[in-house]
Amino acid sequence: MMKKALTIAGSDSGGGAGIQADLKTFQELGVYGMSALTAVTAQNTLGVQGVFPMTAEAVARQIQSVGEDIGADAVKTGMLFNAEIIEVVAEKIKELSWEKVVIDPVMIAKGGASLLQQQAVSALKKHMLPLCLIITPNIPEAEVLTGMSISTMDEKKDAAKRIHELGAKNVVLKGGHDEEAAQSVDVLFDGRDFTFFSSPRINTKHTHGTGCTFSAAITAQLAKGASVQEGVSVAKEFIQAAVANPLDIGNGHGPTNHWAYKMKKESGVSSWRESVLNK
Ligand SMILES: Nc1ncnc2c1ncn2[C@@H]1O[C@H](COP(=O)(O)OP(=O)(O)O)[C@@H](O)[C@H]1O
Ligand SMILES: Cc1ncc(COP(=O)(O)OP(=O)(O)O)c(N)n1
């Protein structure tokens, strides 16, 4: 039976992040993808040129339409933009009794554009964190959620514990912003133990949408019945392949390569370029 995943997130017209990244990732991991749009962004690899939020009513209606007919085996949230949208999303998740919920607490795009109003952070903490199975903050987002500054591994572990105390059952503190490190290390805290997911850091500017893709891959795996640990492990492999095989699209921070993981798995070759060139 086909497994289904829903993304509740913003649209990235450039196709590298937001619902576009999520749906590509769901498809590549063999899961039927659905979307409830929270905002339309005019965006490309150079930055965000405009943000046009949906009404809270429109967001609620989309989620209800999916829930009352199709259903979802797992759900992720990305850009939620304002407190009104956050409140209706939380309401709908409760009403529909969805439990496999992954929150990517999207706040600021790489170019600096705000994708979450500052006054909505407390709504995110109050309404969304207690509902989620996994939250996947990057370092700046974890700093906002905890109010602490994070640079050392001890600080990362401390921050993960504090976010867990806010109600998130599992916290994956991502290491992509640790630019000096040789390894990109994501720290998972499940309320008791820490697990470290480490991969060589790739020196590239084409990392647009890494967080969306990573959290969508976890969601797809959860939809198929994976445990939290298994889901994060596959997501880490997925994003590593996607970053390691850039597509060179646009003039700025280009998207990652959503085909790379599956091509690598299916062809057995180590790089996506190798598999394409051999065809
Ligand atoms: N240059 C890189 N090399 C390898 N992995 C990376 C790189 N940049 C990000 N990642 C991985 O991509 C995922 C998203 O991380 P991050 O960039 O911190 O999130 P966000 O896009 O939300 O800022 C994590 O698994 C992280 O380890
Ligand atoms: C519509 C939309 N949603 C989310 C993001 C942020 O995506 P992320 O994966 O964190 O990647 P960067 O923006 O940091 O490259 C976005 N840009 N747009």
Side-chain angles (χ1 to χ4, degrees):
M1 171 111 158
M2 175 60 72
K3 297 297 180 187
K4 296 156 288 185
L6 170 66
T7 171
I8 304 169
S11 162
D12 167 9
S13 53
I19 57 152
Q20 288 80 0
D22 296 342
L23 293 174
K24 290 173 195 178
T25 305
F26 293 163
Q27 182 84 12
E28 287 298 300
L29 288 170
V31 169
Y32 180 77
M34 302 166 289
S35 62
L37 264 193
T38 56
V40 171
T41 70
Q43 187 172 177
N44 55 28
T45 66
L46 299 171
V48 177
Q49 292 83 37
V51 173
F52 308 92
M54 304 293 288
T55 61
E57 187 193 355
V59 177
R61 187 58 249 184
Q62 293 172 79
I63 300 171
Q64 181 64 28
S65 293
V66 170
E68 69 194 14
D69 174 33
I70 307 168
D73 297 290
V75 177
K76 74 155 271 190
T77 66
M79 172 184 182
L80 294 175
F81 193 63
N82 63 33
E84 293 73 39
I85 293 177
I86 288 170
E87 280 174 32
V88 297
V89 169
E91 268 313 301
K92 284 287 156 198
I93 288 174
K94 279 191 273 183
E95 253 176 62
L96 293 158
S97 305
W98 282 332
E99 287 177 1
K100 290 185 185 176
V101 176
V102 178
I103 298 180
D104 181 6
V106 171
M107 293 183 189
I108 295 176
K110 278 207 175 65
S114 175
L115 303 178
L116 178 73
Q117 291 179 342
Q118 260 176 20
Q119 61 271 31
V121 172
S122 56
L124 186 76
K125 283 161 82 166
K126 181 172 167 201
H127 300 292
M128 291 297 297
L129 266 63
L131 295 181
C132 77
L133 178 60
I134 311 181
I135 188 167
T136 62
N138 61 24
I139 292 171
E141 289 157 357
E143 290 182 328
V144 171
L145 292 172
T146 60
M148 61 183 280
S149 81
I150 303 169
S151 49
T152 66
M153 184 49 79
D154 278 349
E155 285 165 350
K156 286 180 191 171
K157 288 166 75 177
D158 191 17
K161 278 186 178 168
R162 290 195 202 186
I163 296 168
H164 180 264
E165 279 162 16
L166 293 171
K169 293 173 194 67
N170 295 272
V171 180
V172 183
L173 207 168
K174 299 172 295 189
H177 289 245
D178 231 346
E179 282 170 13
E180 303 307 314
Q183 295 282 312
S184 189
V185 184
D186 302 333
V187 179
L188 167 64
F189 181 60
D190 64 6
R192 208 184 69 173
D193 299 315
F194 288 97
T195 311
F196 302 91
F197 297 86
S198 183
S199 59
R201 185 181 176 78
I202 296 150
N203 186 15
T204 172
K205 64 174 185 167
H206 301 308
T207 56
H208 175 50
T210 45
C212 302
T213 302
F214 179 72
S215 55
I218 298 175
T219 310
Q221 292 309 108
L222 292 178
K224 290 187 284 184
S227 67
V228 169
Q229 291 260 352
E230 289 162 351
V232 176
S233 174
V234 168
K236 184 70 173 158
E237 258 193 82
F238 191 99
I239 195 65
Q240 188 70 12
V243 176
N245 295 279
L247 297 166
D248 295 329
I249 283 173
N251 296 297
H253 294 283
T256 69
N257 182 337
H258 294 93
W259 289 290
Y261 172 82
K262 197 157 122 194
M263 287 189 123
K264 188 177 151 195
K265 287 271 164 206
E266 285 175 358
S267 64
V269 297
S270 60
S271 90
W272 178 77
R273 287 198 187 288
E274 218 180 310
S275 63
V276 169
L277 293 174
N278 285 341
K279 274 201 185 243

